[in-house]
Amino acid sequence: MDYKFATKAIHAGQQPDPSTGAIMTPIYQTSTYKQSAPGVHLGYEYSRGSNPTRRALEDCLAALEGGKYGLAFASGMAAIDTVLRLLKPGDEVVAGEDLYGGSYRLFTKVYENYGIRFVFVNLADLTQVETAITEKTRMLWVETPTNPTLKIADIAALSALVEEHNIIHVVDNTFASPYLQNPLELGADIVMHSATKYLNGHSDVVMGALILNTPELYKQLRFYYNTCGATPGPQDAFLCLRGLKTLHLRMKAHCENGTLVANYLKTHPKIEKVYWPGFLDHPGHEIAKKQMRGFGGMVSIVLKNADLKETFRIASRFKVFAVADSLGGVESLVNHPATMSHGSMSIAEREKVGVLENMLRLSVGIEDPADLINDLETALAESAV
Ligand code: P1T
């Protein structure tokens, strides 16, 4: 039966434990499984390759993204690394120029050493994407909304563009979560998540995920997943499965608080620019409205007339927002992309995409919005308090 999102978030991939009736999927804390004879077993052999708690999570994630197959990884980076293993020396990847600094680092500092070429383009400009495609292009790497400048790429238009070229279209859906956006339905081949963020939602797990529909691609990715072995343990899988049960409620609250915070900041005299796709004048607003069901809780700001010292001073004055890496948890976080999430990019590379030293990225949590606005007001006030 095709259940609605909230029902899938709570039930997909899970049934009461057949041996006890336990409602919650048990944490199958086991590395291996008894076989009645070599090769004769109940579907599980060794936990690197599969584990029942992880399987429940993978099935739930697949259901939420509208995909057939889900794979969980020990981190978002492990999930990206596994996707890149599909490539061979000489292959090329066209990637958005504005993306998580860790993804950029993996592409340029690891995979370029193996003879894979990455061409970074502005994904909002379809002509640039088309021009970058050569007969060697095997993959299109899309992040939308982007980290941290919240640019929007048109997933359906990009799918149509790469379809005729036999290119694997991957979308990092971390910022939107499946509650707001389902790239597979828009023609993408693989959806990638840092499950550390909204999917888990409670800042207590580092995990990644891939979701897809194609049996052949799944077979290949599952081979690397088991062979290379960056799979998560059952405790983390359990926590993520539990976090998913409130994804719809949390995302609704993140979107509401994000709207209030973005609008408050837009007219603040200390703010030069606010990046948030919900604004009518955001260049990707119409596409966001078409492909997303809300604008999310990520808001980036550029401070007016602030140097690095002033930017750090403001960041350190928050009391509810915590200065920290990561995003997507119930608690509000503030990040300085230039030195934190995007610290591995050179100044020229990050400034090209607008990651300036006076930029702060807010992961708006689900605390009372009045407290969040007060916190922003205090931190941005002229005099120290
Ligand atoms: O941290 P990890 O679970 O390995 O996920 C990596 C990752 C991939 N894609 C996006 C869009 C991300 O934002 C991240 C992780 N980002 C942060 C830790 C950060 O502070 O931006």
Side-chain angles (χ1 to χ4, degrees):
M1 192 170 318
D2 193 19
Y3 290 114
K4 301 264 190 276
F5 191 93
T7 313
K8 289 196 270 197
I10 294 167
H11 295 289
Q14 299 149 77
Q15 50 276 310
D17 180 46
S19 58
T20 62
I23 288 291
M24 284 302 295
T25 302
I27 301 169
Y28 284 92
Q29 192 73 52
T30 184
S31 60
T32 195
Y33 306 82
K34 181 176 159 38
Q35 306 189 15
S36 48
V40 184
H41 51 75
L42 300 170
Y44 296 94
E45 293 167 81
Y46 186 56
S47 279
R48 179 177 4 92
S50 58
N51 171 282
T53 317
R54 192 163 81 225
R55 172 41 61 95
L57 170 66
E58 292 171 335
D59 289 351
C60 189
L61 288 171
L64 294 180
E65 279 291 8
K68 278 203 191 83
Y69 309 108
L71 292 167
F73 293 86
S75 68
M77 293 318 301
I80 301 176
D81 182 67
T82 302
V83 173
L84 297 178
R85 285 172 197 274
L86 296 170
L87 301 166
K88 306 247 171 343
D91 287 350
E92 293 182 2
V93 178
V94 175
E97 61 189 358
D98 184 14
L99 79 174
Y100 170 52
S103 309
Y104 182 82
R105 181 173 55 192
L106 181 67
F107 294 173
T108 56
K109 302 268 173 16
V110 178
Y111 275 89
E112 280 195 351
N113 293 338
Y114 295 120
I116 291 155
R117 188 167 164 255
F118 293 83
V119 185
F120 295 95
V121 298
N122 174 5
L123 293 175
D125 180 351
L126 294 179
T127 319
Q128 249 193 60
V129 180
E130 199 160 13
T131 311
I133 294 173
T134 72
E135 75 279 3
K136 293 183 179 162
T137 310
R138 290 284 164 272
M139 191 173 283
L140 173 68
W141 191 275
V142 177
E143 204 180 283
T144 182
T146 60
N147 181 359
T149 57
L150 298 150
K151 294 201 186 89
I152 302 293
D154 187 334
I155 301 172
L158 288 166
S159 295
L161 191 69
V162 297
E163 207 179 5
E164 72 216 50
H165 294 280
N166 189 28
I167 290 171
I168 303 168
H169 181 187
V170 191
V171 176
D172 181 337
N173 202 26
T174 299
F175 267 41
S177 91
Y179 181 74
L180 297 181
Q181 175 173 281
N182 299 117
L184 295 178
E185 286 168 10
L186 299 165
D189 299 303
I190 301 174
V191 173
M192 177 264 147
H193 279 280
S194 166
T196 316
K197 312 299 187 298
Y198 289 110
L199 294 181
N200 175 64
H202 295 75
S203 307
D204 49 12
V205 151
V206 172
M207 198 181 281
L210 299 176
I211 300 108
L212 64 156
N213 271 319
T214 332
E216 188 46 41
L217 260 184
Y218 174 65
K219 209 171 134 201
Q220 291 177 54
L221 289 167
R222 204 170 201 302
F223 170 80
Y224 293 118
Y225 157 104
N226 181 43
T227 303
C228 306
T231 51
Q235 301 254 6
D236 283 357
F238 175 86
L239 283 171
C240 192
L241 194 58
R242 184 170 72 165
L244 279 183
K245 288 176 191 287
T246 54
L247 180 63
H248 50 298
L249 301 176
R250 288 185 284 107
M251 288 311 296
K252 197 164 167 284
H254 283 296
C255 289
E256 284 167 12
N257 283 0
T259 306
L260 292 171
V261 164
N263 281 295
Y264 167 76
L265 292 168
K266 197 166 188 173
T267 54
H268 196 287
K270 282 282 286 179
I271 306 291
E272 176 87 45
K273 193 163 174 55
V274 183
Y275 293 97
W276 183 64
F279 290 135
L280 292 175
D281 60 358
H282 183 291
H285 178 73
E286 284 308 314
I287 297 163
K289 237 169 69 179
K290 190 180 69 174
Q291 71 188 14
M292 297 173 74
R293 290 177 284 270
F295 303 108
M298 296 302 297
V299 180
S300 291
I301 52 177
V302 177
L303 299 163
K304 200 177 273 176
N305 300 325
D307 57 10
L308 193 62
K309 198 165 157 231
E310 171 68 355
T311 307
F312 280 12
R313 192 183 71 86
I314 289 172
S316 64
R317 285 170 63 184
F318 284 101
K319 298 219 161 42
V320 181
F321 281 85
V323 177
D325 278 308
S326 204
L327 59 109
V330 289
E331 56 288 289
S332 292
L333 301 180
V334 56
N335 171 284
H336 182 245
T339 56
M340 296 169 75
S341 56
H342 293 66
S344 59
M345 292 171 102
S346 72
I347 297 175
E349 285 158 349
R350 64 173 169 71
E351 290 198 341
K352 184 174 172 227
V353 292
V355 181
L356 308 173
E357 67 173 14
N358 55 340
M359 169 182 270
L360 293 174
R361 186 191 72 191
L362 305 174
S363 173
V364 182
I366 63 170
E367 299 94 339
D368 191 293
D371 291 328
L372 297 181
I373 302 287
N374 278 340
D375 201 38
L376 287 161
E377 195 170 318
T378 314
L380 291 167
E382 285 304 331
S383 57
V385 258

